[in-house]
Amino acid sequence: MGVHHDNFDLWRSKHYRWNAVAMGPKRDIVGEGKAAATRRGLRFGVSEHLGASYSWWYPNHLYDQFWPKLGVAYDGADPRYVDLYHTNRDEPFINTPASWYTTNPTYHALWFDRIRDLIDSYQPDLLYSDGGLPFGEVGRSLLAHFFNSSMARTGKLDAVYNCKDTGSGAFSTDWAVQDVERGVLKGINPHAWQTDTSNGDWFFNRTDTYKTTDEVVAMLADVVSKNGNLLLNVVMHGDGSLPAESDRLLTVWRRGWPPMARRSTVRARGRSMARVRPPPPPARLRKERVIRRRTSASRRRARRCTRSRSARLGGRP
């Protein structure tokens, strides 16, 4: 997580005072995650939900609707917090793709500066936007910077961009890996894709029902069999400790999944999952890819991201 809809940066932001190093935990959450991934030889990814924050935060400028606080203004009306709660007075999110992102060019520029700072400071292997690619040309410029930075650093395109194909913002398999939140595709996709879900709510919720280990493994097998990857959120308490359900899931996961209890090594379990990958696409699609490779150089580079690099990040082996 880099920044969620709450408009609070979890890194040492150069452009924004509301960040986790300056206040709150006073820790560089993104930096610590990057260091931990590097120590373990893992790829490192960050998500940004900042693009949709402007519209999501619209209600904070209103007031309480119910007794006994009827008429009491929300925090967004306090001038001390104006930069945290945005200046949105006329663009509410109304559950339509068109209202997911703002048309405000000042906010587009702020989004660009903050997410570019995130990319430049931590050099993630994967960047995820909660929605389509935001803000037209501004978003395309940010994505070009992300890809070009990877090429300048490694000598090849070694980065992946994930976003949604929901009508909010832009999407193309030429330069993005599709994300499906809390769901799966109906059939095999010739392109690598991802689903993101949680073993419970996205945060600790006393009344929520948790997925069992068997349910998580069944979902993983279904997603992988359709050429997808599973990004799993594991619920924690605010202090980082685990609820009993999350602790049980991770304990069983470390010891070996019940359906594979006789597999004594991680390699054996990995081979088992790899076998559920779909076969290569039919010759018609392979031929189509060859033809499409003859398009512009920029689109060829984008395809290397969504196909070649995604394989090493968990796509087709």
Side-chain angles (χ1 to χ4, degrees), residues 180-184 195-202 208 211 219:
V180 180
E181 183 174 337
R182 294 283 198 179
V184 298
T195 186
D196 67 279
T197 189
S198 178
N199 69 316
D201 209 330
W202 290 119
D208 198 45
K211 294 180 178 67
M219 186 175 190

Side-chain angles (χ1 to χ4, degrees), residues 179-190:
D179 177 82
V180 180
E181 183 174 337
R182 294 283 198 179
V184 298
L185 298 182
K186 293 182 178 180
I188 296 173
N189 191 335

Side-chain angles (χ1 to χ4, degrees), residues 37-55:
T38 301
R39 285 196 303 271
R40 291 163 175 79
L42 300 175
R43 293 290 186 171
F44 177 65
V46 291
S47 67
E48 69 86 9
H49 308 249
L50 183 62
S53 177
Y54 190 88
S55 299

Side-chain angles (χ1 to χ4, degrees), residues 180-240:
V180 180
E181 183 174 337
R182 294 283 198 179
V184 298
L185 298 182
K186 293 182 178 180
I188 296 173
N189 191 335
H191 304 286
W193 61 281
Q194 171 184 282
T195 186
D196 67 279
T197 189
S198 178
N199 69 316
D201 209 330
W202 290 119
F203 49 86
F204 176 69
N205 182 344
R206 289 185 179 88
T207 64
D208 198 45
T209 301
Y210 288 77
K211 294 180 178 67
T212 66
T213 304
D214 286 351
E215 289 171 334
V216 172
V217 173
M219 186 175 190
L220 174 63
D222 178 62
V223 169
V224 171
S225 72
K226 296 171 181 174
N227 204 32
N229 310 310
L230 175 63
L231 177 63
L232 180 68
N233 174 71
V234 177
V235 176
M236 297 187 295
H237 293 296
D239 62 1

Side-chain angles (χ1 to χ4, degrees), residues 52-73:
S53 177
Y54 190 88
S55 299
W56 272 51
W57 259 157
Y58 170 83
N60 66 55
H61 296 290
L62 303 178
Y63 54 88
D64 204 293
Q65 305 288 312
F66 303 99
W67 185 265
K69 294 184 178 182
L70 180 64
V72 175

